[in-house]
Amino acid sequence: IARVAPYRILHQTQDSQVYWAVACGSSRKEITKHWEWLENNLLQTLSIFDNEEDITTFVKGKIHGIIAEENKNEQPQSEEDPGKFKEAELKMRKQFGMPEVEKLVNYYSCSYWKGRVPRQGWLYLTVNHLCFYSFLLGKEVTLVIQWVDVTQLEKNATLLFPECIKVSTRDSELYFSMFLNINETFKLMEQLANIAMRQLLDNETFLQDKSLPKPRRPLKNISALKRDLDARAKNECYRATFRLPKDECLDGHTDCTLWTPFNKMHIPGQMFVSNNYICFASRAEEACHLIIPLREVTIVEKADSSSVLPSPLSISTKSKMTFFFANLKDRDFLVQRISDFLQRTPSKKPCGIDREWKWNVADPSSESNVPYSVFAVPVTSQCWLAVFVPMKAKEKMKEESWNIHFFEYGRGMCMYRTAKTRELVQKGIPENLRGELWLLFSGAWNEMVTHPGYYADLVEKSMGKYNLATEEIERDLHRSMPEHPAFQNELGIAALRRVLTAYAFRNPTIGYCQAMNIVTSVLLLYCNEEEAFWLLVALCERMLPDYYNTRVVGALVDQGIFEELTREYLPQLSEKMQDLGVISTISLSWFLTLFLSVMPFESAVVIVDCFFYEGIKFILQVSLAILDANMEKLLQCCDEGEAMTILGRYLDNVVNRQSVSPPIPHLHALLTSGDDPPLEIDIFELIKTSYEKFGNLKADDIEQMRFKQRLKVIQSLEDTAKKSVVRAVSGDIGFSMEELEELYVVFKAKYLMSCYWGNNRAAAARRDQSLPYLEQYRIDMEQFTELFISLTPWACGAHTPVLAARLFRLLDDNRDSLINFKEFVTGMSGMYHGDLTEKLKVLYKLHLPPALNPEETESALEATSYFTEDVTTEGNATLLPLPLMACSCLAEEKGTSPQDYRYYLRMWAKEKENKKETIKDLPKMSQEQFIELCKTLYNMFSEDPVEQELYHAIATVASLLLRIGEVGKKFSNRPTRKSEDCKANNSQDPVSEEESPTSEQSQNSAVEQQPQADHEDKASIDAQPEKTQQENQTLGDGSGEGQSSPLQLLSDDETKDDMSMSSYSMVSTGSLQCEDIADDTVLVGCEGSGAAARYGSTIDTDWSISFEQILASMLTETALVNYFEKKVNILQKIKDQKKIERQFSSSSDYELSSVSG
């Protein structure tokens, strides 16, 4: 019999005889721990409820949720995604209508606060969504939020809420609390939001890492995706800590001690092992860091254990250094892993490995014989050495200090990095060692030696190639440190050109950004070209991520961090700086060029020394020290200009008295004015002050702040993009700004959905960041069809996708099967705005090429040849569909010119000068196309409240137009002189001014000839609504066959039953004849009944109708006019569409296939 736990916490309300067990424990300590959790997370919440029954229900739900989560975590892992987890994933898909491609990462029991009431439920975190479901006290709560919509994530505790996670979007704030493990949940949410931001920033979609090592022991119930994300987080932290290449993956880490010969101690810390490196980090942050590349390792051996030194391991390197690790828990397994990695390490030494760590460049003349194309000569270093002679004393002392350090701590990649190393860096690196130490501290050396010949190949490939990046590089070459002698000759300029161009070809996403030229020119002063190139790679891709892309996102992120730090450390100044708007101006110029553009060169280069050792943390702390030093003056400033002058003067007078070179005149020297000599600030004093006052900044904290700011910056940039796109299209579109913004959100969401739910990555591949905002998001026909179905005011039932495809073809001017936002809203506006004429014009165009696909009807070729003949015989160029003509010219132009900014300028100019299309420009419609139009109209009216009235109206109009077409054909073919004159007039103008009244007159005549038929028709419709619907359906279906004559559009039953014949069928069975009566053309009915015999069973290719005739006929029917002129609220449609987006469940095969695409 199981014993009852000695300690229990029970829940019982005052009037109840029943109690509920909440927690139990075997010791007082254990039960106290449970009680503390309840106190912090549950008790203060209970006061919110009105009655005891609600309290009991809530407590029971909460405790059951926690027990379920605890049980979930205790399940052993039998397969990749365990049973319980699979069950939760299926439940999530069903509950929120997600397709199979949407993967669940993890789920947690928690409470969502709706107002002041908590709803206990489950939080599901998927790759692209945050979802929450609760069913409590008879109330259901369902939430679905896309990660790309999250603007802020915060973990905090307030008086009202216990420790909670706040999720903010543009229009709501959601609070979740009572987590079993809030830190784990928050960390995962951050990761998923970060992946979404990367998708918005550079189109990087989430791809699961299939190569993750299998866990050695059965894990708790953790999904493969959760393991993947955990591994990614550890990898990023590992690479950032030791400045390793971006593809390095951490295999594992273990506690150990490292023997440090310089102070004769065993330092406790952690050993990290990855594919190509063994690294060590001491527990005390400053004590010691060590990086051992496996390419350098010669021997790994287990030493004898002793009580003093258990489980020791020694690792020897090519540079004759030996490292002793001890206290390793699983030494045998570790040695096996290291030896596995060593076997995979290339035995062939990459070129450059033999080079010793001696950057003391000897006599330049001895290297001048090396062929120029080999890039062995550090071109710009020669310039530096040739122009300046080092002042031996100061430099000798510095070099001596470093040599002593190398002797004690080692030299090269395997050097012990300690607080002593940092002290030496702060004092400034000697000129001769700068290149070597920059490469070491930045990690660029690792990438260079493992990619021999890579730079030379890039230079060769990029030679003679031109694009937008190379043009910008060329423009900026002579602006790169023009005051320095090294860049006052073609040798230095050529080296700079090669490095920048090579990088633009390596990373086309960045290409070239202003400020890269300034940084690269300084790198070239101390390194050869290949080294400068790899340092630039380290800067752009690892140390200053996203700084140099088109939108300088990284710099804006760090600017946000700088503002946050100013609020924390300099609260007095923070508000003033915000008011003046100075921080945004200064931080970009300071951070992007690492102070090189704002400080004298000799001083700024010391900042670069510390930056390569410490990273962005140092730039931030120096920036804070500069503001702190100028606080009093800045507080008295009246405007931004004054503040900028104060800071400019200060930075211009930061001097390096230890510099070996004569001072180089600085661009900002012009700011120094006035009679008083400026106060000089020593760079080393500034650095020392920055460490004393702001040295407690931690790299981990900065990474955390970067995440928070990245959300803010990218969402802010997305808002800016939305506004600029909306402004760009608003001029020619009938929608309001609010409607356009909502349409943009829906359009972008549809694009993003295709990125992560599409079967292929084509959607992501087609977004080019270098394009203007308007062109960045483009959707294909499938996505357009989905949007069209949900937003169109012209719902046509099953015929709607056909109409959507036609509109897509009409809008796709350049025939690349993609349309941008402007094209999309142009199409939508045509249906929503304008009068009857404008809307009919859109509908008319949808039934002509290129909108009408030749495959849609079998006789399309005849129709096309009819149009071609028309053009040649009548010589009327306007009969060609205008969009088709425009697109052919466009395609021609596109093929011959590179897609650079000039191409877009030309496009823009063309758009600006487009001529207003008139109804006379529209080509005539063939009988086949007219039948397609009728089919669309019949489908369009099927669900309208006044559908019977509309059916009658369209039947009347269609019959009338068929007769007009017949008459027009006979009239144009009559061998009389007047007919020929008419034809001559017609060839000059599709529908001349004189013809318009004639056509109206003819319509009126035709209508007058059939009053009895109309009357009978109305009676028939009133008496047999069901029959009429059936007739209309038959008409719609019959017209699609493409082989039916107007007579055959009706079924056999209909033709037998005279009572049910509509005016459409009555007119179709009669024929018309044209007579000349005193110069006026009048239409009269004809007794002949040979129409069917004449038509046979094929479409009449001589028959045609003009847009003006259709418009005039439509205007005679009030029901049709009212239908096309009624206003539809697109905002309501968008709102409904968003609701549907939440429910695209697998209930419908069509919906699922369209979503998973």
Side-chain angles (χ1 to χ4, degrees):
I1 300 163
R3 288 178 58 198
V4 176
Y7 296 95
R8 290 189 300 164
I9 297 171
L10 307 175
H11 171 77
Q12 186 179 20
T13 54
Q14 233 171 2
D15 304 329
S16 172
Q17 298 301 308
V18 182
Y19 62 79
W20 300 91
V22 172
C24 59
S26 56
S27 66
R28 191 179 181 88
K29 187 179 177 185
E30 188 183 346
I31 205 74
T32 307
K33 192 177 171 188
H34 291 320
W35 179 255
E36 282 171 359
W37 189 92
L38 289 167
E39 244 183 349
N40 293 334
N41 289 279
L42 201 66
L43 293 185
Q44 57 184 304
T45 310
L46 301 184
S47 59
I48 287 162
F49 295 101
D50 298 332
N51 58 59
E52 292 178 348
E53 198 178 322
D54 286 358
I55 291 176
T56 305
T57 310
F58 178 75
V59 170
K60 278 166 65 183
K62 183 72 211 168
I63 300 305
H64 284 150
I66 290 167
I67 291 165
E69 186 171 345
E70 193 62 30
N71 290 342
K72 172 195 86 169
N73 288 340
E74 283 172 3
Q75 292 285 327
Q77 180 153 358
S78 54
E79 49 180 303
E80 186 158 23
D81 279 347
K84 280 268 183 192
F85 189 86
K86 282 280 181 199
E87 199 180 303
E89 189 164 48
L90 289 171
K91 195 174 174 185
M92 176 274 295
R93 290 211 186 104
K94 191 177 175 188
Q95 198 72 59
F96 304 103
M98 299 286 176
E100 258 190 68
V101 286
E102 183 68 358
K103 300 290 184 191
L104 178 66
V105 180
N106 214 348
Y107 60 106
Y108 300 95
S109 166
C110 71
S111 294
Y112 159 64
W113 292 78
K114 192 163 187 185
R116 294 187 61 176
V117 181
R119 302 280 181 196
Q120 174 59 32
W122 289 93
L123 180 73
Y124 297 89
L125 304 181
T126 75
V127 173
N128 303 296
H129 296 86
L130 175 153
C131 309
F132 177 83
Y133 181 75
S134 163
F135 185 80
L136 197 67
L137 306 174
K139 289 180 181 172
E140 189 177 48
V141 176
T142 307
L143 291 174
V144 180
I145 295 163
Q146 286 185 309
W147 289 118
V148 288
D149 292 334
V150 173
T151 54
Q152 199 174 10
L153 272 180
E154 280 182 296
K155 185 179 68 171
N156 52 24
T158 62
L159 287 172
L160 177 61
F161 304 118
E163 192 174 27
C164 67
I165 294 173
K166 176 183 164 190
V167 180
S168 305
T169 64
R170 284 176 179 82
D171 37 37
S172 63
E173 287 183 351
L174 310 170
Y175 292 88
F176 300 93
S177 69
M178 301 188 209
F179 290 93
L180 200 59
N181 188 341
I182 194 166
N183 292 331
E184 181 197 319
T185 313
F186 185 68
K187 191 177 169 187
L188 182 57
M189 289 166 89
E190 278 192 327
Q191 277 183 285
L192 292 167
N194 215 12
I195 288 168
M197 289 310 105
R198 289 245 66 96
Q199 190 184 352
L200 286 176
L201 176 61
D202 53 19
N203 235 19
E204 216 177 80
T205 48
F206 178 80
L207 290 170
Q208 190 180 340
D209 185 0
K210 302 287 185 189
S211 63
L212 275 180
K214 293 278 178 204
R216 292 173 60 206
R217 304 181 190 88
L219 294 170
K220 290 180 180 177
N221 192 3
I222 297 172
S223 72
L225 270 174
K226 176 75 168 67
R227 281 179 55 224
D228 184 348
L229 287 165
D230 289 346
R232 282 172 191 234
K234 284 179 183 171
N235 283 337
E236 280 168 21
C237 183
Y238 170 62
R239 290 193 292 259
T241 306
F242 299 104
R243 307 269 167 82
L244 299 176
K246 286 183 90 173
D247 55 357
E248 196 62 25
C249 293
L250 179 65
D251 187 67
H253 57 89
T254 182
D255 289 337
C256 68
T257 57
L258 170 68
W259 170 255
T260 48
F262 51 86
N263 59 1
K264 310 287 188 289
M265 283 174 70
H266 290 282
I267 297 180
Q270 279 195 318
M271 177 197 277
F272 300 84
V273 179
S274 60
N275 316 24
N276 301 295
Y277 298 89
I278 298 168
C279 301
F280 174 86
S282 58
R283 282 209 193 114
E285 197 182 345
E286 288 298 316
C288 184
H289 267 211
L290 180 66
I291 301 164
I292 309 169
L294 291 181
R295 62 175 185 269
E296 294 280 321
V297 172
T298 51
I299 301 168
V300 177
E301 58 182 345
K302 293 183 272 190
D304 296 332
S305 287
S306 68
S307 56
V308 182
L309 211 61
S311 306
L313 180 71
S314 84
I315 298 174
S316 303
T317 67
K318 291 171 186 170
S319 54
K320 307 291 185 288
M321 289 179 79
T322 303
F323 304 95
F324 288 100
F325 297 92
N327 296 286
L328 291 157
K329 284 180 187 169
D330 201 345
R331 183 176 64 166
D332 293 346
F333 177 75
L334 180 70
V335 170
Q336 185 57 51
R337 289 304 286 162
I338 293 172
S339 59
D340 288 348
F341 287 133
L342 277 170
Q343 282 172 5
R344 292 179 217 162
T345 305
S347 55
K348 183 176 174 288
K349 281 191 270 185
C351 71
I353 221 75
D354 290 330
R355 175 182 185 177
E356 290 181 19
W357 293 99
K358 289 175 188 172
W359 253 261
N360 304 337
V361 181
D363 178 16
S365 60
S366 63
E367 296 181 1
S368 58
N369 296 325
V370 181
Y372 188 63
S373 60
V374 178
F375 307 112
V377 185
V379 179
T380 43
S381 291
Q382 285 186 342
C383 298
W384 175 269
L385 293 168
V387 175
F388 304 113
V389 181
M391 295 160 72
K392 297 286 181 187
K394 287 178 184 174
E395 278 297 284
K396 276 287 177 195
M397 279 171 64
K398 272 192 195 176
E399 277 188 38
E400 196 53 45
S401 301
W402 276 97
N403 286 332
I404 293 165
H405 186 271
F406 291 147
F407 180 74
E408 287 184 18
Y409 296 85
R411 186 169 188 172
M413 193 47 74
C414 302
M415 171 170 59
Y416 294 96
R417 298 161 199 223
T418 66
K420 177 75 176 164
T421 317
R422 193 180 74 177
E423 280 172 31
L424 281 175
V425 172
Q426 285 171 31
K427 291 173 182 172
I429 299 173
E431 303 285 356
N432 289 340
L433 293 175
R434 245 186 200 126
E436 170 185 345
L437 294 173
W438 284 359
L439 284 161
L440 268 188
F441 298 146
S442 66
W445 175 255
N446 285 321
E447 288 179 284
M448 188 173 79
V449 295
T450 50
H451 294 84
Y454 177 85
Y455 173 68
D457 290 345
L458 261 185
V459 170
E460 202 174 322
K461 282 177 194 165
S462 62
M463 282 288 202
K465 301 273 175 64
Y466 295 98
N467 56 25
L468 189 57
T470 56
E471 282 187 33
E472 289 177 349
I473 289 168
E474 218 47 54
R475 194 175 59 232
D476 284 354
L477 282 175
H478 293 277
R479 303 179 193 168
S480 313
M481 296 190 69
E483 66 274 16
H484 198 288
F487 299 100
Q488 290 167 2
N489 63 66
E490 196 44 48
L491 270 179
I493 294 291
L496 184 58
R497 179 187 291 113
R498 283 192 293 273
V499 174
L500 290 171
T501 308
Y503 186 76
F505 275 79
R506 169 190 163 86
N507 190 343
T509 312
I510 290 177
Y512 169 77
C513 169
Q514 277 190 329
M516 282 169 75
N517 59 322
I518 294 169
V519 175
T520 310
S521 57
V522 173
L523 300 178
L524 278 166
L525 293 175
Y526 298 101
C527 310
N528 67 35
E529 282 177 41
E530 188 178 13
E531 291 157 2
F533 170 79
W534 286 111
L535 274 169
L536 186 62
V537 169
L539 267 177
C540 297
E541 295 171 21
R542 288 187 289 109
M543 298 189 75
L544 297 174
D546 307 318
Y547 258 60
Y548 299 105
N549 57 25
T550 45
R551 300 190 278 180
V552 293
V553 173
L556 292 171
V557 167
D558 287 347
Q559 175 188 304
I561 294 174
F562 185 40
E563 287 179 24
E564 211 175 311
L565 292 173
T566 309
R567 275 195 297 277
E568 187 183 333
Y569 287 99
L570 307 169
Q572 286 174 284
L573 192 57
S574 173
E575 206 174 314
K576 181 75 174 178
M577 296 297 275
Q578 288 294 101
D579 292 345
L580 296 175
V582 173
I583 287 187
S584 55
T585 315
I586 58 172
S587 52
L588 281 182
S589 59
W590 293 3
F591 297 172
L592 276 169
T593 64
L594 304 174
F595 287 94
L596 288 163
S597 64
V598 294
M599 214 182 252
F601 171 76
E602 315 80 47
S603 306
V605 84
V606 181
I607 300 272
V608 179
D609 291 343
C610 297
F611 165 74
F612 277 125
Y613 189 77
E614 294 272 23
I616 193 64
K617 161 188 176 315
F618 177 75
I619 299 293
L620 290 165
Q621 74 183 38
V622 166
S623 301
L624 287 170
I626 292 167
L627 290 189
D628 184 49
N630 290 280
M631 190 187 292
E632 286 180 23
K633 289 179 183 174
L634 289 170
L635 285 171
Q636 291 165 15
C637 285
C638 303
D639 56 38
E640 185 191 359
E642 193 181 343
M644 291 301 294
T645 306
I646 287 166
L647 290 169
R649 280 184 185 156
Y650 177 87
L651 289 168
D652 210 48
N653 290 293
V654 175
V655 296
N656 178 359
R657 297 192 179 95
Q658 297 178 19
S659 175
V660 296
S661 53
I664 298 162
H666 194 256
L667 294 175
H668 279 187
L670 296 170
L671 289 168
T672 309
S673 58
D675 302 327
D676 299 330
L679 182 70
E680 288 189 343
I681 303 95
D682 184 64
I683 182 65
F684 299 105
E685 279 301 314
L686 177 62
I687 290 170
K688 189 181 169 189
T689 308
S690 81
Y691 274 101
E692 285 169 359
K693 291 191 175 181
F694 311 106
N696 59 348
L697 287 179
K698 297 278 183 293
D700 291 348
D701 296 341
I702 288 168
E703 278 311 308
Q704 185 65 33
M705 290 162 90
R706 267 182 169 172
F707 161 76
K708 185 179 163 187
Q709 292 297 332
R710 196 177 292 122
L711 274 183
K712 206 168 160 186
V713 166
I714 292 176
Q715 294 293 16
S716 165
L717 287 169
E718 287 296 310
D719 289 344
T720 307
K722 178 172 74 175
K723 286 189 178 108
S724 61
V725 167
V726 164
R727 261 200 311 273
V729 302
S730 60
D732 314 321
I733 307 291
F735 291 117
S736 69
M737 293 295 260
E738 184 192 358
E739 289 169 337
L740 282 171
E741 285 189 7
E742 286 298 320
L743 279 168
Y744 181 82
V745 169
V746 170
F747 182 86
K748 181 175 134 189
K750 185 58 71 179
Y751 164 82
L752 290 171
M753 203 180 290
S754 73
C755 285
Y756 52 69
W757 283 352
N759 286 339
N760 54 38
R761 300 283 159 182
R766 66 175 175 247
R767 183 179 171 207
D768 184 351
Q769 297 279 345
S770 63
L771 292 175
Y773 285 140
L774 187 59
E775 292 285 333
Q776 283 195 15
Y777 295 118
R778 293 180 297 165
I779 59 173
D780 59 21
M781 190 184 285
E782 188 183 337
Q783 296 157 303
F784 176 78
T785 304
E786 289 166 22
L787 281 177
F788 182 89
I789 290 167
S790 57
L791 297 177
T792 181
W794 297 344
C796 300
H799 190 65
T800 313
V802 177
L803 206 61
R806 288 177 188 167
L807 182 57
F808 183 88
R809 286 190 288 271
L810 185 68
L811 296 172
D812 183 20
D813 274 351
N814 58 1
R815 296 292 171 272
D816 63 353
S817 301
L818 296 169
I819 62 167
N820 63 28
F821 180 66
K822 183 171 186 180
E823 291 162 338
F824 169 71
V825 290
T826 303
M828 285 289 137
S829 182
M831 295 183 285
Y832 275 92
H833 297 288
D835 54 12
L836 172 76
T837 311
E838 291 301 314
K839 289 177 182 174
L840 274 181
K841 202 192 287 182
V842 172
L843 201 56
Y844 186 83
K845 283 183 188 174
L846 291 181
H847 297 82
L848 295 172
L852 192 73
N853 203 345
E855 284 97 43
E856 284 190 83
T857 49
E858 289 177 25
S859 306
L861 285 171
E862 292 176 36
T864 313
S865 62
Y866 165 70
F867 271 124
T868 321
E869 285 161 24
D870 236 11
V871 172
T872 49
T873 53
E874 298 186 12
N876 189 349
T878 56
L879 285 175
L880 256 177
L882 290 178
L884 198 60
M885 289 166 65
C887 96
S888 62
C889 303
L890 197 64
E892 220 176 294
E893 185 180 346
K894 221 174 173 182
T896 54
S897 65
Q899 287 216 13
D900 59 6
Y901 65 96
R902 289 170 300 192
Y903 165 74
Y904 290 105
L905 282 172
R906 282 198 296 275
M907 288 275 291
W908 180 72
K910 268 191 176 180
E911 277 179 24
K912 286 290 175 192
E913 61 189 32
N914 62 348
K915 291 167 187 167
K916 187 80 175 162
E917 185 183 57
T918 66
I919 55 176
K920 291 181 183 178
D921 295 329
L922 294 168
K924 287 190 175 184
M925 187 176 267
S926 71
Q927 193 175 74
E928 187 174 32
Q929 291 157 352
F930 177 70
I931 290 166
E932 281 293 322
L933 175 62
C934 292
K935 181 179 175 182
T936 300
L937 288 165
Y938 269 80
N939 280 302
M940 200 182 283
F941 305 146
S942 64
E943 292 174 20
D944 199 273
V946 290
E947 61 180 319
Q948 295 303 329
E949 204 179 322
L950 287 164
Y951 282 146
H952 178 215
I954 196 60
T956 308
V957 168
S959 62
L960 180 60
L961 287 167
L962 275 168
R963 292 165 65 197
I964 291 170
E966 289 298 321
V967 174
K969 181 182 77 173
K970 292 185 177 187
F971 181 60
S972 62
N973 290 339
R974 263 194 97 197
T976 63
R977 196 167 161 209
K978 275 200 172 158
S979 289
E980 283 164 17
D981 292 347
C982 261
K983 190 171 178 182
N985 289 338
N986 196 34
S987 71
Q988 289 163 17
D989 199 333
V991 184
S992 63
E993 297 269 336
E994 291 94 18
E995 272 185 9
S996 294
T998 311
S999 60
E1000 278 180 39
Q1001 189 180 355
S1002 63
Q1003 289 154 19
N1004 293 336
S1005 296
V1007 172
E1008 282 163 20
Q1009 294 291 324
Q1010 298 283 352
Q1012 188 62 35
D1014 280 1
H1015 181 71
E1016 282 175 22
D1017 191 34
K1018 278 178 190 171
S1020 164
I1021 286 169
D1022 293 338
Q1024 294 178 319
E1026 287 177 22
K1027 180 77 174 169
T1028 312
Q1029 272 186 307
Q1030 190 186 339
E1031 288 163 22
N1032 293 326
Q1033 187 59 47
T1034 311
L1035 167 67
D1037 295 344
S1039 62
E1041 296 300 315
Q1043 294 292 328
S1044 308
S1045 68
L1047 176 64
Q1048 289 175 320
L1049 288 169
L1050 300 166
S1051 66
D1052 290 341
D1053 291 336
E1054 285 175 309
T1055 47
K1056 284 173 193 166
D1057 185 1
D1058 288 340
M1059 287 302 291
S1060 66
M1061 286 176 70
S1062 67
S1063 56
Y1064 188 111
S1065 60
M1066 291 190 70
V1067 169
S1068 302
T1069 53
S1071 60
L1072 299 164
Q1073 175 180 314
C1074 184
E1075 295 180 359
D1076 283 337
I1077 305 173
D1079 296 332
D1080 289 332
T1081 306
V1082 183
L1083 299 177
V1084 293
C1086 180
E1087 299 301 316
S1089 58
R1094 261 198 322 280
Y1095 293 142
S1097 61
T1098 57
I1099 292 290
D1100 192 340
T1101 53
D1102 290 335
W1103 187 99
S1104 68
I1105 200 91
S1106 73
F1107 175 73
E1108 283 167 302
Q1109 290 165 327
I1110 291 175
L1111 176 63
S1113 307
M1114 289 273 204
L1115 286 168
T1116 63
E1117 294 292 334
T1118 314
L1120 291 175
V1121 173
N1122 292 343
Y1123 178 84
F1124 282 105
E1125 293 210 328
K1126 73 180 173 192
K1127 299 287 180 196
V1128 183
N1129 183 2
I1130 195 163
L1131 289 175
Q1132 188 56 45
K1133 287 258 185 192
I1134 291 169
K1135 202 173 175 185
D1136 297 343
Q1137 192 260 356
K1138 283 180 179 174
K1139 280 182 194 166
I1140 293 164
E1141 288 285 313
R1142 301 282 176 261
Q1143 300 157 8
F1144 29 67
S1145 60
S1146 49
S1147 58
S1148 152
D1149 289 339
Y1150 166 73
E1151 283 177 354
L1152 184 64
S1153 64
S1154 67
V1155 165
S1156 58

